[in-house]
Amino acid sequence: MQKDFVMKSFVMSEGERYCLLVDKHSGIPLYYPNLYLVTQIRNRSLSYSSMESSLGGILVLLKFLTGRGQDLINRFSQYDFFEFNELDAIRDYCQNKFSARTIAQDTNRVFTLEELQWSDEKVSSKTEYVRLTVISQYLKWLAELLTSQSRNKDVTLRINKMIKGLASRRPIRVGRNAGS
């Protein structure tokens, strides 16, 4: 059975805007992506758009993994980290342009992974950079969390190698004053 995830946006009673990733069929929040969102994004007082952007990057990663039938939690728990060819595949996947209704257009303020269908178009290098940065940060956090009980120097080196490998695949950023 293909997993289907949705990003739910809502406003808390105090007026704070918030978003979560949930399983579309059960409505249950996804544990690790939402834990990451709370501990690494929201608690650092980053904006709602930062939370939304982070979940968007994580959604792209989840869609990539679901399409390949991979379970990231089991994989990292077994100290099986991404190899360079897999990092290339993640990078290539992050270049795809996905079409989806925007939150403003979606009266339910929800979109599913099924609604994200890539086209032949590619995203801008800025969007690709942001996606790969978010995914890199999430993977580092998750790998360290899942291996914290028995992590040794070799595991730490392998995690760092994976993260540096993914970060090195980001497009070169052009400064805003350096041209178009």
Side-chain angles (χ1 to χ4, degrees):
M1 182 168 121
Q2 179 108 351
K3 291 186 179 184
D4 199 8
F5 312 107
V6 294
M7 184 186 333
K8 288 201 172 218
S9 298
F10 55 92
V11 179
M12 293 189 212
S13 59
E14 306 84 36
E16 179 183 359
R17 294 181 342 173
Y18 201 78
C19 50
L20 289 172
L21 286 182
V22 300
D23 180 289
K24 180 181 180 182
H25 304 292
S26 68
I28 296 173
L30 301 179
Y31 182 75
Y32 288 107
N34 291 312
L35 181 62
Y36 175 79
L37 184 70
V38 170
T39 62
Q40 305 302 306
I41 307 301
R42 183 174 180 262
N43 285 351
R44 289 183 16 217
S45 298
L46 297 178
S47 67
Y48 172 77
S49 62
S50 294
M51 291 191 310
E52 198 172 47
S53 176
S54 293
L55 286 184
I58 294 169
L59 270 172
V60 170
L61 175 65
L62 292 176
K63 181 174 171 68
F64 171 82
L65 293 168
T66 299
R68 293 174 174 258
Q70 295 184 4
D71 183 338
L72 189 59
I73 307 308
N74 286 337
R75 184 176 178 163
F76 281 6
S77 295
Q78 297 172 12
Y79 306 98
D80 181 15
F81 306 111
F82 292 113
E83 300 294 331
F84 288 138
N85 63 316
E86 295 171 302
L87 298 177
D88 289 338
I90 292 170
R91 180 214 43 225
D92 294 347
Y93 195 81
C94 286
Q95 293 172 351
N96 291 319
K97 186 170 191 171
F98 298 96
S99 61
R101 296 179 300 219
T102 64
I103 289 178
Q105 294 168 323
D106 190 346
T107 56
N108 294 326
R109 300 176 64 81
V110 169
F111 63 90
T112 68
L113 289 177
E114 287 176 350
E115 293 170 327
L116 294 172
Q117 298 298 320
W118 77 70
S119 66
D120 291 335
E121 297 179 57
K122 301 295 182 191
V123 296
S124 70
S125 61
K126 181 180 178 183
T127 299
E128 180 188 352
Y129 187 93
V130 169
R131 284 178 178 175
L132 288 171
T133 299
V134 166
I135 290 170
S136 176
Q137 292 167 345
Y138 176 68
L139 291 177
K140 180 176 180 16
W141 173 84
L142 185 63
E144 289 177 347
L145 181 72
L146 293 173
T147 62
S148 64
Q149 294 294 321
S150 58
R151 188 171 356 129
N152 58 35
K153 190 174 184 178
D154 177 59
V155 172
T156 300
L157 289 173
R158 290 174 46 220
I159 292 170
N160 289 337
K161 180 180 175 183
M162 175 183 66
I163 300 308
K164 286 179 183 176
L166 189 57
S168 72
R169 285 161 172 75
R170 296 180 298 186
I172 297 171
R173 290 185 71 178
V174 176
R176 63 181 176 184
N177 294 331
S180 57

